[in-house]
Amino acid sequence: MKKYLVLLMLLTISLTSYGSQLQNETEVPAQFNTLFYVSSEPDGRLSRDIKESQRDNGVILTNLNTEQYQGKHPLQALIEQYGGSSFEKQMDLEDLIVGKPWQIDMDEQELVFDDDLLCSFQLLGTFSHSTKTWLWAWANEQSDLPIDVIEQSFELKKYGEKNNIDLFKKAKFDATEDDLPIFGLIASGMFNSSGYYVANFGSGTLVLTFNNKEIDQIHKKNDTHNRVASVIPQLIANYDVNHYAAIKHYLLAKNYQITFDDGSKLIATKGNKQITAEFDNLSRLIGLKG
């Protein structure tokens, strides 16, 4: 059975821990103790199989109360809605931050890459390598985190409460490292961030979104019609999503106007540029022009 979460190398950024002493730590390093608390008790299970979402497993609630999500795994629907633009931005980040040392300056509330790339950030949550559990930042009461750096985490909780998505409402649950980029991908697209970062510090991993004006200028420079057309096949090749829904949401996010849409053919225009996508009866992409 095809698994739901498929990772793309471009999106799974291999991060350099800040300080070689973190590599063999089994506990949360002392210098991070004021930043977060990693949960130690497994609680629930994050299913990554779409068909598993047809059962209430204590983490994924299937009776979503929005028409858009009916019959879908919540993460699948959210990737379809927000994944395209976020996926595109991560492609721009490969040369900027891959392999670069990083640190978090809590006094300035900045994520710093290579001592000279300063970004404001939002902490979404933490993953414990020993217990394989995820803890949302909004539920991290023991670390006394500044409210300014966990606002997006609270917004995800509110979104989960409004749309009846237990994944965002449950404080902690079993997860895998493969799940972490998906959390970042969705949040980055939802909040229009410059990008997301999966920061492995040895005994655990942080997932953050961040903003930087210089990076935004790079995104703007690369925002071309040809780029959009090239992102589409990569997006659907790396995520188990409804092709039609994911492509339509991505084009709308890129400010294209949908000028024709009958479910099997989609025509989107922006200025004098046009993209035409054709689909089979299972909504799979079978033709792309543009």
Side-chain angles (χ1 to χ4, degrees):
M1 185 179 295
K2 188 174 182 180
K3 289 295 182 181
Y4 163 60
L5 294 179
V6 182
L7 294 181
L8 176 67
M9 291 299 293
L10 286 172
L11 289 175
T12 310
I13 301 177
S14 299
L15 306 177
T16 302
S17 294
Y18 188 65
S20 59
Q21 72 273 18
L22 302 185
Q23 298 299 324
N24 298 317
E25 292 285 343
T26 57
E27 301 296 333
V28 177
Q31 58 265 50
F32 285 100
N33 282 343
T34 58
L35 178 60
F36 63 88
Y37 169 78
V38 178
S39 63
S40 59
E41 295 295 330
D43 191 1
R45 177 177 179 273
L46 174 60
S47 171
R48 292 180 293 138
D49 190 312
I50 296 174
K51 291 189 177 180
E52 284 292 310
S53 68
Q54 302 305 313
R55 302 197 301 270
D56 181 1
N57 61 15
V59 176
I60 302 298
L61 189 64
T62 60
N63 296 323
L64 304 175
N65 59 9
T66 56
E67 182 178 352
Q68 176 188 356
Y69 297 156
Q70 288 295 333
K72 292 184 180 181
H73 189 292
L75 288 183
Q76 178 188 354
L78 290 168
I79 291 173
E80 289 168 1
Q81 185 170 359
Y82 298 109
S85 57
S86 180
F87 177 93
E88 178 190 271
K89 289 178 179 179
Q90 290 302 115
M91 295 170 67
D92 293 335
L93 298 177
E94 185 178 15
D95 294 334
L96 292 175
I97 62 178
V98 170
K100 301 291 179 64
W102 61 273
Q103 60 180 308
I104 291 176
D105 185 335
M106 288 301 291
D107 290 334
E108 298 296 329
Q109 297 184 5
E110 289 179 330
L111 172 63
V112 184
F113 296 102
D114 206 21
D115 294 328
D116 58 4
L117 182 59
L118 310 180
C119 308
S120 61
F121 74 91
Q122 288 285 305
L123 175 63
L124 301 179
T126 55
F127 175 74
S128 168
H129 293 174
S130 60
T131 63
K132 307 300 181 186
T133 52
W134 170 260
L135 175 68
W136 288 109
W138 59 260
N140 191 340
E141 298 177 353
Q142 298 192 30
S143 297
D144 195 24
L145 295 166
I147 191 66
D148 290 347
V149 302
I150 58 174
E151 289 177 346
Q152 288 183 6
S153 178
F154 274 107
E155 287 300 315
L156 289 173
K157 181 175 184 286
K158 292 178 183 178
Y159 187 90
E161 292 169 345
K162 180 179 179 180
N163 295 287
N164 213 13
I165 303 175
D166 265 10
L167 176 69
F168 293 154
K169 296 191 296 180
K170 197 172 186 68
K172 61 181 179 180
F173 48 83
D174 282 5
T176 73
E177 292 183 64
D178 288 352
D179 299 322
L180 308 184
I182 302 300
F183 299 156
L185 182 83
I186 291 170
S188 178
M190 185 179 292
F191 299 111
N192 194 28
S193 303
S194 300
Y196 71 84
Y197 198 65
V198 180
N200 186 330
F201 59 85
S203 61
T205 299
L206 310 174
V207 180
L208 313 103
T209 61
F210 62 88
N211 284 293
N212 175 277
K213 291 182 179 180
E214 294 179 12
I215 292 176
D216 288 341
Q217 287 301 311
I218 294 173
H219 293 328
K220 185 176 180 180
K221 179 181 178 181
N222 291 337
D223 186 13
T224 66
H225 177 76
N226 289 339
R227 173 69 176 277
V228 171
S230 70
V231 166
I232 288 173
Q234 296 181 68
L235 174 66
I236 63 174
N238 287 280
Y239 296 95
D240 189 358
V241 293
N242 179 293
H243 293 184
Y244 165 82
I247 292 170
K248 183 175 181 178
H249 280 299
Y250 174 53
L251 291 171
L252 289 172
K254 300 302 293 182
N255 296 316
Y256 280 76
Q257 299 294 318
I258 305 300
T259 55
F260 181 84
D261 179 9
D262 67 356
S264 62
K265 186 176 183 178
L266 191 67
I267 300 177
T269 60
K270 186 176 182 180
N272 62 352
K273 301 294 185 179
Q274 180 174 286
I275 290 179
T276 301
E278 296 182 88
F279 307 89
D280 64 14
N281 59 359
L282 296 177
S283 296
R284 296 175 300 196
L285 183 68
I286 57 175
L288 182 67
K289 297 179 181 179

